Amino acid sequence: MTMHDDLPAEIRALFTDAELAEIAESKPEPDNKDKPDALGLARSWTLHVEKLDHDRALPYTDRTVWTEHDLAGALFMRDFVEDALARLRPALADKVRRYAATADDLFRSFTTDDPGDRIAKIARIDLAGRGWWWFRVPTSGPIVQDLARY
């Protein structure tokens, strides 16, 4: 079993075996076989965004709904994607970035610009120099209620 066996076939098909091997060799923690590489992180970002989008239709009382802290976790995940992309040669990074862009576009579709003050408090970080995703929040759903408390 290789690192990319768990990827959906349509994602695996975007990359040659040599590219997949190069991505795996360039992961942020190369000595830790359990830590994901750029493609695994991009997949995780995609799954986080899909969950955030799905939860918007659920009631605030649903105990499966993600909170503002989960939103912060998703934003950190997007940071990890960028860090991993920086380890790849530019052409390969662009290819993985195109895959991540699908999730980026979905995230933009259900979020709006935000100064970031609330999410900075939630994540307990300084947003200086952070990516665009730190300055967007959902327009609807239970997380909006969570954010209203900040």
Side-chain angles (χ1 to χ4, degrees):
M1 181 174 200
T2 67
M3 171 167 275
H4 298 108
D5 287 344
D6 62 338
L7 287 174
E10 65 271 13
I11 297 168
R12 263 186 122 293
L14 300 173
F15 301 90
T16 67
D17 288 341
E19 288 172 330
L20 291 172
E22 186 177 342
I23 292 167
E25 290 168 12
S26 301
K27 67 183 189 170
E29 294 185 40
D31 295 332
N32 188 335
K33 66 180 175 77
D34 296 326
K35 293 290 182 173
D37 58 25
L39 197 50
L41 291 165
R43 177 74 177 138
S44 291
W45 167 240
T46 298
L47 295 172
H48 278 72
V49 169
E50 289 172 352
K51 170 69 171 148
L52 290 166
D53 185 31
H54 171 267
D55 283 2
R56 293 181 318 120
L58 299 176
Y60 187 80
T61 55
D62 187 317
R63 305 220 5 116
T64 68
V65 168
W66 278 7
T67 69
E68 73 275 26
H69 299 285
D70 297 300
L71 172 61
L75 302 178
F76 279 118
M77 178 61 64
R78 186 60 180 82
D79 283 351
F80 299 154
V81 172
E82 282 304 305
D83 291 344
L85 290 173
R87 297 174 174 279
L88 298 174
R89 63 182 165 84
L92 189 53
D94 286 345
K95 205 168 179 180
V96 176
R97 188 174 280 111
R98 282 194 298 274
Y99 166 62
T102 302
D104 290 346
D105 291 345
L106 176 59
F107 187 70
R108 283 186 188 100
S109 77
F110 65 83
T111 60
T112 189
D113 289 333
D114 186 81
D117 299 340
R118 297 174 295 176
I119 200 67
K121 286 178 188 169
I122 294 161
R124 297 181 180 172
I125 59 168
D126 179 359
L127 292 183
R130 295 279 177 165
W132 60 265
W133 47 92
W134 285 98
F135 301 93
R136 297 195 64 85
V137 295
T139 57
S140 62
I143 285 179
V144 173
Q145 289 176 265
D146 290 333
L147 292 172
R149 295 186 305 217
Y150 292 87

